[in-house]
Amino acid sequence: MNIAFFLTPKSEVIFENLEATMRQVLERMEYHGYSAIPIIDNKGRYVGTLTEGDLLWKLKNTPELNFKNTEKVKLEEIPRKIKHKAVTINSDIESLISLAVSQNFVPVIDDNGIFIGIIKRSDIINYCYNGMCEAKK
């Protein structure tokens, strides 16, 4: 099976640029109800995933930081605790599933590292569940 079947394209994904501020990403994540968001650079390459935990640790470990001055903190200044890996659009389903076990979504890149979308773990589980239900009939 081609993993492109599961792809949510970039045009439908909420992501943020590495140049954005902590406040921008906090507000975007709150508005959409997300606990993690893909981060891309100015060339459109996937550079990582920022999580609520990363934001909380930055607040905890920066005593002078409060919500009002988060607009001065660029995303590139926020350490990410976990390196969320991406797959290429040509990856096999086994590679996808091995990452989806520990990530809510798996970023998908092209051969040049350009972010093209995500594959949500929930979409994989729903597909498997529906397949199991069909097999029982």
Side-chain angles (χ1 to χ4, degrees):
M1 167 177 269
N2 187 324
I3 68 168
F5 173 79
F6 296 106
L7 184 70
T8 300
K10 179 181 178 181
S11 61
E12 298 175 23
V13 174
I14 303 303
F15 59 90
E16 195 55 80
N17 187 285
L18 195 56
E19 298 296 316
T21 67
M22 185 175 180
R23 180 158 185 170
Q24 288 171 313
V25 78
L26 279 164
E27 290 181 353
R28 181 168 278 199
M29 288 171 71
E30 178 186 30
Y31 178 81
H32 293 284
Y34 292 157
S35 59
I37 189 169
I39 305 298
I40 62 170
D41 67 13
N42 287 331
K43 295 182 180 176
R45 293 178 299 216
Y46 172 74
V47 295
T49 296
L50 191 70
T51 67
E52 288 176 322
D54 298 329
L55 297 168
L56 289 170
W57 285 115
K58 178 67 175 172
L59 280 169
K60 179 202 174 282
N61 294 325
T62 313
E64 68 280 358
L65 189 59
N66 60 52
F67 183 72
K68 288 183 180 182
N69 62 13
T70 56
E71 63 202 22
K72 297 176 182 171
V73 178
K74 298 285 187 192
L75 294 190
E76 61 190 4
E77 300 171 41
I78 303 172
R80 292 184 295 276
K81 189 171 184 170
I82 298 172
K83 182 176 166 93
H84 291 86
K85 295 181 181 175
V87 293
T88 64
I89 194 63
N90 300 316
S91 294
D92 57 37
I93 194 76
E94 290 82 9
S95 299
L96 172 65
I97 291 174
S98 69
L99 292 176
V101 165
S102 61
Q103 297 176 199
N104 287 335
F105 62 85
V106 179
V108 182
I109 57 174
D110 68 12
D111 292 336
N112 296 314
I114 302 298
F115 177 73
I116 59 174
I118 63 171
I119 297 176
K120 296 178 266 186
R121 179 170 50 197
S122 61
D123 289 344
I124 298 168
I125 293 169
N126 286 330
Y127 175 81
C128 293
Y129 176 76
N130 291 334
M132 289 174 16
C133 291
E134 286 296 317
K136 287 184 178 182
K137 291 181 181 179

